[in-house]
Amino acid sequence: MSEIKTVGVIGAGQMGSGIAHVVALGGYDVRLHDVSRERIEAGIAVIEKNMARQVGRGIIDDAAMKAALARIQPAEGLEAVGAADLAIEAATENEEIKKSIFRSLQPHLKDGTLLASNTSSISITRLASATDRPERFIGLHFMNPVPLMKLVEIIRGIATDVPTYETAVAFAKSLGKITSNAEDFPAFIVNRVLVPMINEAIYTLYEGVGTVDAIDTAMKLGANHPMGPLELGDFIGLDTVLSIMNVLHEGLADSKYRPCPLLVKYVEAGWLGKKTGRGFYDYRGETPVPTR
């Protein structure tokens, strides 16, 4: 197995900053990259805020937070990411964007660098084909929010070799995560089950079966879900929900995965959920208010 000491993370958004957070707390040096210095700094600020919250709750101590933050270094160029032992891509859920990132990273990679994608739905085999090392490429699907969620889905592409898989599992476990193996099928396990449920909840709203509040209340109290499906869709990001439904619909050619027209309309309107201030709930006031 490869020895991992330094981890490059491409993408300083919600998922990338969360991954950098847990990797730094795990004792690894982190090189955090995004398209601009401002985005990297914003990601590091979120990490510091979330670690401070963990300190306040007694999950970690102040010394652990300071040591972890010191391990995170901004990487404005891809050179530092390519020099890492493991590079994890955590960009938006778009296949062409992800492939473009790996192509841009390739000239900077050292021979032993392992590659991973945090994709929640896209074929690992196809992403690996855009690199010079498909045998050293794997899916590491962290759950959101990364510091709180225990699971990491491990997805092997058709060319992924055994040492890469074993290294990935050991790495995830070293972060205190529990791993689950998933085959390289559209959306893997978690999102193959979860996202169609959210899409069906949107259909339920679209067809007038219930209001936003009625649907979420019914699922929280009737199915003991901690969060209603429409609220969860807002939390994930409705653009991401739509992307995953499109991957399922195109990849499995089954009409049951057709994205709800209302989901498409919300995304077209820029109502993407919590991150934009409005989705199935309006988050711009003191408390969220249903938008339908």
Side-chain angles (χ1 to χ4, degrees):
M1 292 193 300
S2 301
E3 184 178 8
I4 297 175
K5 294 181 179 179
T6 305
V7 178
V9 179
I10 302 171
Q14 189 174 44
M15 293 304 299
S17 63
I19 292 168
H21 177 139
V22 299
V23 170
L25 279 177
Y28 299 93
D29 290 328
V30 176
R31 303 293 179 261
L32 184 60
H33 172 79
D34 211 311
V35 295
S36 68
R37 179 79 182 199
E38 291 74 20
R39 288 196 185 187
I40 298 170
E41 290 175 350
I44 292 174
V46 168
I47 293 168
E48 186 169 3
K49 177 182 177 181
N50 289 338
M51 283 189 185
R53 187 178 292 118
Q54 287 181 309
V55 171
R57 294 175 179 173
I59 298 170
I60 61 174
D61 59 29
D62 191 61
M65 180 182 80
K66 289 177 179 177
L69 289 172
R71 294 188 193 103
I72 302 173
Q73 298 298 319
E76 292 188 60
L78 287 171
E79 298 83 1
V81 177
D85 302 310
L86 169 65
I88 304 173
E89 169 273 316
T92 187
E93 194 68 0
N94 179 289
E95 182 170 338
E96 290 310 311
I97 289 174
K98 290 178 183 293
K99 284 182 174 179
S100 176
I101 288 169
F102 285 117
R103 292 189 189 105
S104 298
L105 178 62
Q106 188 163 304
H108 308 292
L109 292 172
K110 67 179 184 179
D111 290 342
T113 301
L114 300 180
L115 297 177
S117 175
N118 183 59
T119 179
S120 55
S121 64
I122 299 166
S123 168
I124 297 302
T125 297
R126 290 205 305 270
L127 293 178
S129 72
T131 76
D132 65 346
R133 58 195 69 197
E135 72 283 353
R136 297 173 70 78
F137 193 107
I138 199 160
L140 285 175
H141 179 208
F142 290 82
M143 303 295 123
N144 185 32
V146 182
L148 299 180
M149 301 294 278
K150 284 289 188 182
L151 183 69
V152 176
E153 278 186 312
I154 308 287
I155 308 101
R156 296 171 66 172
I158 194 170
T160 307
D161 63 23
V162 172
T164 299
Y165 165 75
E166 291 176 346
T167 299
V169 171
F171 171 71
K173 289 183 176 179
S174 75
L175 305 178
K177 302 299 186 182
I178 296 169
T179 63
S180 175
N181 294 331
E183 293 297 322
D184 193 16
F185 276 75
F188 318 129
I189 295 173
V190 172
N191 284 331
R192 172 77 177 265
V193 176
L194 178 65
V195 176
M197 182 197 73
I198 295 171
N199 190 57
E200 191 62 28
I202 300 170
Y203 265 116
T204 305
L205 176 66
Y206 178 63
E207 294 168 2
V209 179
T211 62
V212 168
D213 183 63
I215 293 165
D216 276 354
T217 298
M219 292 305 294
K220 284 189 285 187
L221 301 184
N224 203 28
H225 290 190
M227 186 181 291
L230 300 174
E231 182 185 5
L232 180 57
D234 275 359
F235 180 76
I236 293 169
L238 299 182
D239 53 338
T240 300
V241 172
L242 179 58
S243 294
I244 294 170
M245 287 307 303
N246 282 330
V247 167
L248 283 165
H249 193 218
E250 292 165 10
L252 299 174
D254 192 324
S255 61
K256 73 179 181 180
Y257 297 116
R258 184 173 71 96
C260 179
L262 185 60
L263 170 61
V264 175
K265 185 178 291 186
Y266 268 58
V267 173
E268 288 175 344
W271 293 15
L272 307 182
K274 199 166 184 180
K275 62 186 175 184
T276 59
R278 187 158 50 178
F280 290 108
Y281 292 85
D282 190 327
Y283 300 91
R284 295 172 296 176
E286 290 186 10
T287 58
V289 178
T291 54
R292 292 178 78 90

